[in-house]
Amino acid sequence: MSDESKSQSESQSQSQSSTFVRNEVFDLLLATQIGDLATTRKDIFTVATHQSAAYLLRSLVEKKILSAPVRDGSDRCVGFVELLDIIGFILSELGDDQDAITAQRLAEFSLDKATVEDVLKASNRSQFVPMLANNPATSIVEVFASGVHRVALFDDKTKGVSMLVSQSDVLRFLANNVTSAKLKTIFGHSLEHMGYKAKPVFTIASNATVYKAFLKMHGTNAGALAVVDPDSSVLVGNISASDLRGMAQNSFDDLMLTVADFLKKYSPESGDPITAAPSDTLLDVVTKLSSNRLHQVWIVDDDKKPVGIISLTDVMQLLITYRHVPIDKRVAPDTTLSTPGTLTVEVVKAENLVKGDLMASDPYVVIRFPGEKHEQHKHTTVVPKTVNPEFSQTFAYFVTDEHRGEKMTFEVWDKDRFTADDSLGAVQIEIDWILNAFGTKNGAVTNFRDSWKLEGVDHGELQLDFSYQAN
């Protein structure tokens, strides 16, 4: 890796990580090096730009991989080439006039005279981002959230590719760490709570040809198509580059098979698509993606028709942009956490508080729990001369059915010696929201940490950590 590339990689990492919202995922990844995520560390297959496209296809099929780093004439890595790029090259050579495409014409098509460079030139997909193994993992998740699927890591000594890291590697790492208390709260949220918005779904009828399917995929730059029944539009399958793994040059005529028949021959598991709903938790989706080694799952409606898709890129975007979503005041009191129980609250810290005095504030927090008298209200200690106080103080409350429909309030105050204390804002938390498993309606979620914007002031946030234990 050249000094210039190294400099670009480092500056890119620094600029990108600044947009990663500070949350528990950020903290975990900041303490992790990119190299620690890699599962492909040795015997990395690479291909040169001058080598034949036929050799590339044969190698990808034999090694059961979907992509490979590409070397130029100076043996420098200049990008990635994917199996889907080869299909894109074939489509560009044969054209989109489906009436002129026959199984015989496909069978006679050869990649022997085409080079890897030719394939890359016809591709509009592969993005090359060089990175260093000792960079913080926050930077690579930023890259993956932009739509890049894999990254090459370089060895400073050999200047060659030392490791590969993919979106799937990050997902597996997070799935293995999701049991930690810091991550359980985020992964316990529903997709809706995380801010997921359904994206347009590209579909293909099961009786259409595979050639037509990949024409559509290439034209829309989609990573996958939802395969639907031609009559009912019900989701019946999924087709993507992964389904091409077993396809060799002498079987190009199979691109004229129907999608249904092609999947039966090459990828039977894709005929049983994995689905999700907006109400599913992020943990549900991550588990489905990770355990089934998928790149996307389909969002379906009550009639099993595809209405959205959530891909690995979408998951990365949700994780880096997640902030507290305002509590829905209309949450129904059909609880998933039983009462009575003990609610433990840690007042963690406040940030960017309004200045109560000319230079700073002397903040403290008062907690008003429903049913308590004024003298019973608990409060933190005063942290002097700061607008970013660290409290880290914990309080416990006994919750019963009588507290349903009530609110607890966290008031931030500036301590004054000679005049009345000044309000620095407040946060109200509904008990029903707590008993609804912190808005997730998932009884397995008993912990929640987040930051709330303080009401009644121009700026300021209060971070709280909740834990509930049924008695």
Side-chain angles (χ1 to χ4, degrees), residues 31-51:
T32 305
Q33 293 187 348
I34 296 176
D36 296 333
L37 305 176
T39 56
T40 305
R41 294 175 177 269
K42 60 181 180 178
D43 300 327
I44 297 173
F45 170 72
T46 63
V47 64
T49 52
H50 69 271
Q51 290 179 299

Side-chain angles (χ1 to χ4, degrees), residues 21-82:
V21 171
R22 188 68 183 256
N23 56 36
E24 286 81 356
V25 176
F26 177 96
D27 292 338
L28 173 64
L29 294 173
L30 187 64
T32 305
Q33 293 187 348
I34 296 176
D36 296 333
L37 305 176
T39 56
T40 305
R41 294 175 177 269
K42 60 181 180 178
D43 300 327
I44 297 173
F45 170 72
T46 63
V47 64
T49 52
H50 69 271
Q51 290 179 299
S52 74
Y55 166 75
L56 169 64
L57 175 62
R58 186 166 59 253
S59 300
L60 294 178
V61 170
E62 289 175 355
K63 298 178 183 299
K64 298 181 180 179
I65 55 178
L66 295 177
S67 66
V70 179
R71 311 183 315 274
D72 66 7
S74 302
D75 215 29
R76 295 177 306 172
C77 185
V78 294
F80 281 94
V81 63
E82 305 180 17

Side-chain angles (χ1 to χ4, degrees), residues 186-372:
I186 288 184
F187 282 84
H189 293 321
S190 68
L191 296 180
E192 291 173 316
H193 183 92
M194 294 288 292
Y196 168 76
K197 303 294 183 183
K199 297 181 178 179
V201 178
F202 296 106
T203 64
I204 190 75
S206 59
N207 60 354
T209 66
V210 177
Y211 192 88
K212 180 178 180 180
F214 281 105
L215 266 178
K216 187 170 188 177
M217 203 178 300
H218 187 70
T220 59
N221 204 27
L225 298 179
V227 182
V228 297
D229 181 89
D231 298 319
S232 65
S233 296
V234 168
L235 182 69
V236 296
N238 172 92
I239 187 165
S240 67
S242 300
D243 302 311
L244 298 168
R245 288 180 191 270
M247 192 174 184
Q249 179 168 278
N250 60 6
S251 56
F252 284 162
D253 54 331
D254 282 346
L255 292 175
M256 294 308 292
L257 293 174
T258 66
V259 173
D261 289 340
F262 183 88
L263 293 181
K264 287 178 182 177
K265 181 174 182 178
Y266 287 98
S267 186
E269 64 275 10
S270 292
D272 185 21
I274 306 298
T275 63
S279 58
D280 287 352
T281 67
L282 183 60
L283 178 59
D284 294 332
V285 172
V286 167
T287 300
K288 289 176 181 179
L289 289 167
S290 181
S291 61
N292 293 286
R293 302 180 70 84
L294 299 173
H295 295 104
Q296 66 281 314
V297 295
W298 300 100
I299 307 295
V300 295
D301 61 15
D302 293 339
D303 296 322
K304 305 301 181 185
K305 296 179 181 180
V307 294
I309 183 174
I310 182 162
S311 64
L312 294 180
T313 298
D314 295 324
V315 171
M316 303 297 157
Q317 290 173 348
L318 289 176
L319 291 174
I320 72 168
T321 60
Y322 174 74
R323 291 183 72 90
H324 171 68
V325 177
I327 301 168
D328 185 354
K329 302 296 191 295
R330 298 166 295 175
V331 170
D334 52 336
T335 67
T336 54
L337 298 178
S338 61
T339 53
T342 300
L343 175 67
T344 303
V345 183
E346 179 187 358
V347 180
V348 183
K349 62 183 179 180
E351 294 181 323
N352 194 28
L353 294 177
V354 172
K355 293 179 181 179
D357 299 316
L358 183 62
M359 299 300 295
S361 295
D362 301 310
Y364 66 98
V365 179
V366 174
I367 307 173
R368 301 186 185 278
F369 191 78
E372 288 184 339

